[in-house]
Amino acid sequence: MLLKIDKVSKIYGEGDNSVIALDNISLDFNAGEFVAVMGSSGSGKTTLLNCISSIDKPTKGNIYFGERNLLKMNDDELSEYRAKHISFIFQNYNLITNLSVYENIILPLQILGKSIKENQNNIEKVMEELGISKLKSKFPNQLSGGQQQRVATARAIANSTDILIADEPTGALDSSNSENLMKLFKDLNKKLGLSIFMVTHDPLAAKFSSKVIYLSDGKVIDILMKYKNESEYEFLEKIIEKQKSIDEGVI
Ligand SMILES: Nc1ncnc2c1ncn2[C@@H]1O[C@H](COP(=O)(O)OP(=O)(O)O)[C@@H](O)[C@H]1O
Ligand SMILES: [Mg+2]
């Protein structure tokens, strides 16, 4: 087991103003899974990702990374967990404005003290695959939203870790760039065994995953599995069908 989410609740605020963002969620994730999390705005998707990546702390429950309980780790242990095992792609990119594209991408490697030279081939390959090689010396404010998203993605995957966490990674991309990014995710998942947790609104992105988890009001209301012999197209049809029944209040 890679991650075990055990009866996790997250409550923001207190008393009359409190919001239950996660309501007693339990989920198990194996290494190598590609999981999509879907659900309407405010259903707790970002909170769930933030708890997994230890940016946020559950109010109740436990999260295990292998045998280790994130809630029992001290700040140093949590920083190490984040640095060594987790890559993020944030909803708002979080690029550093006074660093160039290339400097942004190599920053996590530098922070971890990893050799840029040894990782150079991988860095170049990732930039090539994301179509941002020519933007190397540009600064974030000279890029479009879609380009910034691709730089943030390159930064996350150039530093190879165990788990990629992405909050709406295709949110700012047009359909062809979205598809390229999802194909890259799928490739990283298949070839490197990278485990992926991705929040998305888009069934066309979710169809690349192997499991879709539906959240509503902080609860898991459904899980769709992609079977081995199922094509992406068949899985997409299931995802769209499920979305319809959720919207119509059938489940
Ligand atoms: N820092 C916060 N303080 C107070 N309420 C929050 C905070 N972050 C999220 N919430 C609330 O928790 C609920 C879930 O939010 P979020 O996880 O961001 O949902 P989603 O990503 O699915 O849109 C929402 O009602 C949101 O307003
Ligand atoms: Mg969100």
Side-chain angles (χ1 to χ4, degrees):
M1 189 75 61
L2 180 70
L3 274 171
K4 186 175 179 66
I5 296 170
D6 184 25
K7 303 195 189 85
V8 163
S9 296
K10 176 73 192 183
I11 300 158
Y12 289 109
E14 278 177 20
D16 288 350
N17 295 323
S18 66
V19 175
I20 302 174
L22 297 177
D23 189 0
N24 201 26
I25 286 190
S26 293
L27 291 165
D28 289 341
F29 297 116
N30 291 312
E33 281 196 276
F34 181 172
V35 176
V37 181
M38 300 187 87
S40 56
S41 180
S43 58
K45 304 180 298 295
T46 297
T47 306
L48 180 64
L49 291 196
N50 288 348
C51 286
I52 291 175
S53 53
S54 84
I55 294 174
D56 212 340
K57 208 172 180 153
T59 315
K60 270 191 245 161
N62 293 295
I63 299 176
Y64 298 92
F65 174 66
E67 301 287 301
R68 301 166 69 200
N69 188 347
L70 297 191
L71 279 97
K72 299 263 159 75
M73 291 187 194
N74 63 32
D75 286 350
D76 285 347
E77 289 168 329
L78 286 175
S79 301
E80 188 185 311
Y81 163 71
R82 283 193 294 267
K84 285 202 176 148
H85 302 292
I86 306 274
S87 297
F88 316 92
I89 303 175
F90 294 96
Q91 211 163 2
N92 53 1
Y93 322 133
N94 282 12
L95 296 176
I96 316 259
T97 48
N98 57 348
L99 294 182
S100 71
V101 162
Y102 182 72
E103 288 163 343
N104 264 286
I105 292 171
I106 64 171
L107 188 64
L109 294 164
Q110 288 175 321
I111 291 172
L112 287 175
K114 291 188 183 171
S115 155
I116 303 302
K117 219 170 166 187
E118 275 171 29
N119 287 287
Q120 196 62 41
N121 283 343
N122 188 37
I123 297 166
E124 300 287 341
K125 186 170 153 258
V126 166
M127 289 198 298
E128 193 62 43
E129 283 185 34
L130 285 161
I132 53 172
S133 301
K134 290 204 176 96
L135 305 175
K136 229 172 145 167
S137 10
K138 293 226 187 292
F139 288 85
N141 64 4
Q142 298 173 300
L143 306 178
S144 68
Q147 288 170 331
Q148 290 185 41
Q149 183 64 290
R150 282 182 277 151
V151 175
T153 304
R155 178 181 57 182
I157 57 193
N159 167 29
S160 37
T161 52
D162 303 322
I163 305 173
L164 175 67
I165 292 189
D167 200 347
E168 299 273 359
T170 61
L173 302 181
D174 62 32
S175 59
S176 108
N177 278 321
S178 288
E179 178 151 349
N180 288 342
L181 184 63
M182 286 304 103
K183 283 184 174 155
L184 180 69
F185 272 30
K186 186 91 196 177
D187 238 32
L188 292 163
N189 173 250
K190 279 238 162 92
K191 289 184 187 154
L192 304 178
L194 182 68
S195 305
I196 302 177
F197 297 93
M198 169 180 82
V199 164
T200 186
H201 277 115
D202 184 1
L204 290 170
K207 75 170 185 185
F208 288 92
S209 72
S210 49
K211 193 196 249 183
V212 182
I213 292 169
Y214 291 89
L215 292 188
S216 175
D217 291 331
K219 294 189 192 69
V220 175
I221 55 164
D222 218 321
I223 298 180
L224 266 187
M225 305 288 294
K226 179 171 182 292
Y227 297 110
K228 279 211 170 70
N229 57 359
E230 212 166 35
S231 70
E232 267 158 23
Y233 183 73
E234 286 167 320
F235 194 41
L236 173 65
E237 287 195 317
K238 265 178 26 184
I239 293 168
I240 291 172
E241 204 53 45
K242 180 65 70 185
Q243 193 64 53
K244 265 197 211 148
S245 58
I246 289 173
D247 292 345
E248 288 163 6
V250 174
I251 60 162

